[in-house]
Amino acid sequence: GDSVTQTEGQVALSEEDFLTIHCNYSASGYPALFWYVQYPGEGPQFLFRASRDKEKGSSRGFEATYDKGTTSFHLRKASVQESDSAVYYCALGEDTNAYKVIFGKGTHLHVLP
Amino acid sequence: EAAVTQSPRSKVAVTGGKVTLSCHQTNNHDYMYWYRQDTGHGLRLIHYSYVADSTEKGDIPDGYKASRPSQENFSLILELASLSQTAVYFCASSDRGNTEVFFGKGTRLTVV
């Protein structure tokens, strides 16, 4: 079945560092791709989505580009802040069953002041 | 603002007992989901529904049942709770497929 892989379980950075969280997917067809963020004690919140090759999604200074060739949707931010500390989830919506959303295991970002 | 409300927010259950987690949404969304969150596993889909009176199995349905009596309400039922079902459970809703999913705040279930 379809799947999402996030290679980093935890990432530790200092403020103003550049962030990259890697996300690769395996899916038949053409899935929609998403990034979500989860703060302590809360449910995940939608960041942005992309649904076609080379489309860029962005929000709150975060961005990712849909790359069908490398089956990737890496999350990037130029300058992180302490308030960005959270768990980030990459997800996909199946092409053949749009109601089914599959999440990766999440990446815990720690930003040190 | 879109709202998904889960109850209870925290529960301790006895092994072998029955547990019902409830979810109510005021988003007027057709699609609702139950996810389980465990350290190291992220979010895994248990059951979902896209219309009242119908539910579908997700990736880890074993040991769980779901009920969607109305568009607004979606319950997760553990008929015989087990220690391995200790986790945080999230209910969510969306307007249609491949769009933003709105999550509740979660229910922390501890089975002892």
Side-chain angles (χ1 to χ4, degrees):
Chain A
D2 295 358
S3 64
V4 175
T5 300
Q6 293 179 237
T7 52
E8 301 96 351
Q10 301 213 33
V11 172
L13 296 173
S14 298
E15 281 195 324
E16 300 184 9
D17 280 353
F18 189 93
L19 168 71
T20 300
I21 296 177
H22 295 94
C23 172
N24 288 89
Y25 69 91
S26 174
S28 56
Y30 223 126
L33 301 174
F34 305 82
W35 277 102
Y36 283 78
V37 58
Q38 183 180 23
Y39 300 101
E42 301 288 325
Q45 302 171 17
F46 173 82
L47 263 182
F48 55 80
R49 72 187 284 268
S51 57
R52 59 185 183 274
D53 193 22
K54 302 295 183 280
E55 180 181 358
K56 179 187 285 187
S58 64
S59 176
R60 311 183 204 177
F62 294 91
E63 63 178 40
T65 300
Y66 194 133
D67 190 329
K68 190 168 174 59
T70 60
T71 60
S72 66
F73 193 54
H74 305 318
L75 182 69
R76 294 186 168 92
K77 187 176 185 183
S79 177
V80 294
Q81 302 300 311
E82 189 177 4
S83 58
D84 293 326
S85 296
V87 180
Y88 292 82
Y89 287 99
C90 184
L92 70 81
E94 289 189 341
D95 185 21
T96 54
N97 181 359
Y99 317 119
K100 189 174 177 183
V101 181
I102 297 171
F103 286 78
K105 293 185 178 182
T107 298
H108 201 158
L109 172 64
H110 303 272
V111 180
L112 305 173
Chain B
E1 184 177 318
V4 178
T5 304
Q6 295 182 230
S7 61
R9 291 294 315 279
S10 178
K11 183 173 181 65
V12 179
V14 177
T15 302
K18 182 177 181 177
V19 177
T20 299
L21 306 183
S22 299
C23 179
H24 178 81
Q25 56 108 348
T26 59
N27 304 329
N28 197 33
H29 288 167
D30 286 332
Y31 311 122
M32 296 189 74
Y33 312 84
W34 277 106
Y35 286 90
R36 169 177 172 156
Q37 185 176 53
D38 301 272
T39 303
H41 289 281
L43 291 160
R44 293 182 290 174
L45 182 63
I46 307 171
H47 286 289
Y48 63 102
S49 168
Y50 49 87
V51 67
D53 295 323
S54 178
T55 63
E56 304 292 334
K57 293 180 179 180
D59 295 318
I60 54 163
D62 293 346
Y64 303 94
K65 291 184 180 179
S67 174
R68 182 92 182 271
S70 64
Q71 185 195 42
E72 298 81 15
N73 296 295
F74 192 37
S75 298
L76 185 69
I77 303 149
L78 290 66
E79 295 279 3
L80 295 169
S82 67
L83 295 174
S84 64
Q85 293 177 312
T86 292
V88 179
Y89 293 85
F90 287 98
C91 178
S93 74
S94 68
D95 183 31
R96 58 189 185 278
N98 281 330
T99 60
E100 177 180 356
V101 177
F102 293 87
F103 285 82
K105 292 184 179 293
T107 295
R108 182 173 297 277
L109 175 65
T110 304
V111 182
V112 298

